[in-house]
Amino acid sequence: MSLIAEAPEFLQVFSDGTVKRFNPETSPPSLDSSNKYISKDIIINPSKPITGRLFLPNNPNKKLLPLLVYFHGGGFCIGSTTWLGYHSFLGELSVASHSIILSVDYRLAPEYRLPIAHEDCYSSLEWLGENVKVEPFLEHADLNNVFLSGDSAGGNISHHVAVKAIQKNELCPVKIKGVMPIHPYFGSEKRTEKENGEEGSEDVRMNDMFWRLSIPEDSNRDYFGCNFEKHEVSESVWLKFPAVEVYVAGEDFLKERGVMYGEFLKKKGVKEVKVDEAKDEKHVFHVFYPESDATRLLQNQMSQFMKRCCEH
């Protein structure tokens, strides 16, 4: 049994199909009313399984609150809403944005390759529609003001869930008002300028490994779940696409891909697209440093974007 893929400190994949994951510090949910927010774990689909964590600002006023659905990153192979960085970031974001947040734990590759993550995450919207009247955390949820976000692979997922929601039209139980991909993870067979440079060779190797583990075995990086330009989508989808604010980080190897994604949406005729850069920050800094000034700024930007979209 030989080691065929490794992300040090996070993931090992062996030749017999065995997968070992090493989680960083995790956090349990808490209903402690002395905190600024409360949280609880829920089951979205017990048979798959798909689970999630709900966050609610403490003492929300009685009016309806927007709802943010968040998809964690990790190259589709690692990550969990239970990781301390995600728990802290999303709890504080629920307070800053006065919103209810559902963070989704979808099934991971290589055991479950794409498009399973996209499908699992879309099913979280169906769960919201089915549970809005019975789940106490959703008592004040406004399903007409729903936002999608996620970092890295989760940014990729937020795009694909938005497309599917539009394609489903009236069958989708929520109205997507905005999409906020953070440092989104996209790719293609054609290398970008940065990917062709010598300095990025290790980043390219690691990204290629995650793509190799997560896309269907008979496909390459031009698979539509990796390369958004290869996704055959009708023009009407882009005309109905919600407002988008893409967050990129100046020191992130994936910054180019995030900027390219924003330009792609503009060319397709998406009405409102903005790209915001955190100049001196690295990939998913908000997960590794959830208490940092840069993270507080990101939470404020996301909150302001949601407020503007809800007012339209």
Side-chain angles (χ1 to χ4, degrees):
M1 186 173 77
S2 59
L3 185 66
I4 59 170
E6 181 177 29
E9 297 181 36
F10 288 102
L11 177 75
Q12 290 180 330
V13 182
F14 296 89
S15 54
D16 69 346
T18 302
V19 179
K20 288 186 178 178
R21 293 183 176 88
F22 308 94
N23 284 326
E25 188 177 355
T26 59
S27 174
S30 173
L31 295 172
D32 183 351
S33 58
S34 66
N35 294 332
K36 288 185 285 184
Y37 58 87
I38 53 175
S39 57
K40 70 179 286 191
D41 288 342
I42 52 100
I43 297 172
I44 294 168
N45 186 318
S47 66
K48 291 187 172 171
I50 310 166
T51 59
R53 181 167 290 184
L54 284 164
F55 297 86
L56 185 67
N58 219 345
N59 299 318
N61 49 33
K62 296 300 178 190
K63 68 174 185 176
L64 289 176
L65 299 176
L67 205 149
L68 169 64
V69 186
Y70 193 91
F71 313 114
H72 68 75
F76 302 102
C77 297
I78 56 174
S80 169
T81 189
T82 64
W83 285 11
L84 180 60
Y86 285 115
H87 181 88
S88 301
F89 173 73
L90 294 173
E92 293 290 344
L93 179 60
S94 75
V95 175
S97 61
H98 304 292
S99 69
I100 301 164
I101 296 179
L102 169 60
S103 179
V104 181
D105 262 332
Y106 48 91
R107 288 173 291 172
L108 300 173
E111 301 95 324
Y112 301 99
R113 291 173 178 264
L114 290 173
I116 283 178
H118 295 152
E119 293 167 356
D120 283 1
C121 289
Y122 178 80
S123 75
S124 69
L125 304 186
E126 297 174 325
W127 182 87
L128 287 169
E130 292 162 4
N131 288 273
V132 68
K133 289 188 165 61
V134 295
E135 168 51 58
F137 267 53
L138 300 178
E139 182 184 354
H140 301 296
D142 184 354
L143 296 195
N144 288 313
N145 275 317
V146 174
F147 294 83
L148 304 177
S149 184
D151 60 278
S152 200
N156 173 309
I157 293 170
S158 66
H159 166 77
H160 285 279
V161 171
V163 169
K164 188 166 184 177
I166 295 165
Q167 291 171 330
K168 289 273 189 179
N169 202 1
E170 297 300 318
L171 293 175
C172 180
V174 307
K175 182 173 175 59
I176 309 296
K177 275 294 189 69
V179 185
M180 298 177 284
I182 304 170
H183 317 157
Y185 181 48
F186 294 112
S188 62
E189 282 296 302
K190 184 181 178 184
R191 301 293 193 193
T192 65
E193 185 178 340
K194 201 167 186 179
E195 289 166 355
N196 275 324
E198 281 184 31
E199 284 182 14
S201 60
E202 182 55 30
D203 291 291
V204 167
R205 190 189 69 77
M206 189 60 67
N207 285 341
D208 284 358
M209 181 197 77
F210 277 116
W211 285 125
R212 199 165 59 250
L213 293 172
S214 60
I215 58 179
E217 291 192 62
D218 59 351
S219 62
N220 62 21
R221 291 189 311 278
D222 281 335
Y223 170 68
F224 76 90
C226 173
N227 184 350
F228 48 76
E229 292 188 4
K230 301 296 183 184
H231 198 180
E232 292 182 13
V233 175
S234 70
E235 291 301 312
S236 64
V237 167
W238 303 121
L239 297 176
K240 295 175 186 171
F241 212 77
V244 181
E245 191 152 281
V246 187
Y247 302 101
V248 298
E251 299 300 313
D252 182 9
F253 188 72
L254 288 174
K255 175 189 163 183
E256 274 178 316
R257 294 284 180 183
V259 172
M260 287 163 64
Y261 172 62
E263 292 304 317
F264 169 80
L265 293 180
K266 288 176 187 174
K267 280 185 202 157
K268 287 294 183 182
V270 176
K271 291 186 285 290
E272 189 182 331
V273 183
K274 186 182 176 193
V275 177
D276 270 323
E277 180 181 343
K279 287 236 180 295
D280 300 317
E281 300 301 326
K282 294 181 178 177
H283 190 59
V284 298
F285 63 85
H286 63 294
V287 182
F288 292 110
Y289 307 104
E291 307 296 328
S292 70
D293 290 344
T295 297
R296 292 285 173 262
L297 176 59
L298 174 62
Q299 288 164 335
N300 186 52
Q301 289 171 318
M302 295 173 76
S303 301
Q304 292 303 315
F305 173 76
M306 292 169 70
K307 186 180 177 187
R308 285 198 307 275
C309 292
C310 288
E311 289 170 350
H312 282 181

